[in-house]
Amino acid sequence: MARVCQVTGKKPMVGNNVSHANNRTKRRFLPNLQSAVSGWRARTAGCVCRVTNAALRTIDKNGIESVLADLPASGSL
């Protein structure tokens, strides 16, 4: 399963580990994905989504209905 947020679309980033001697080696910065069960009034059953912590905070602030309305039409959910 890909490490991509289903709401924000955040993906792993690539960067460098830098040692004290300034040696650089490649590394990946992974998004903080959480498995979340979200249910809303339009559906009786909830769905399990892999979303970042930032997306969970957005859902708590704005509500699941507005977040789902703002999703791109890529059909990620």
Side-chain angles (χ1 to χ4, degrees), residues 42-69:
R43 296 176 70 179
T44 56
C47 72
V48 177
C49 304
R50 287 189 60 169
V51 295
T52 58
N53 195 31
L56 285 175
R57 294 179 68 193
T58 303
I59 291 170
D60 285 343
K61 180 179 180 181
N62 299 332
I64 188 71
E65 289 88 6
S66 71
V67 171
L68 290 179

Side-chain angles (χ1 to χ4, degrees), residues 10-65:
K10 289 186 179 184
K11 299 177 184 177
M13 294 174 38
V14 178
N16 288 313
N17 278 333
V18 181
S19 70
H20 185 69
N22 208 24
N23 297 329
R24 295 168 189 264
T25 57
K26 285 290 189 181
R27 65 160 291 184
R28 293 176 71 195
F29 294 94
L30 299 177
N32 186 10
L33 289 180
Q34 308 291 327
S35 294
V37 177
S38 61
W40 59 95
R41 286 183 230 132
R43 296 176 70 179
T44 56
C47 72
V48 177
C49 304
R50 287 189 60 169
V51 295
T52 58
N53 195 31
L56 285 175
R57 294 179 68 193
T58 303
I59 291 170
D60 285 343
K61 180 179 180 181
N62 299 332
I64 188 71
E65 289 88 6

Side-chain angles (χ1 to χ4, degrees), residues 3-12 31-33 52 54-55:
R3 294 180 188 261
V4 178
C5 177
Q6 293 179 336
V7 174
T8 61
K10 289 186 179 184
K11 299 177 184 177
N32 186 10
L33 289 180
T52 58

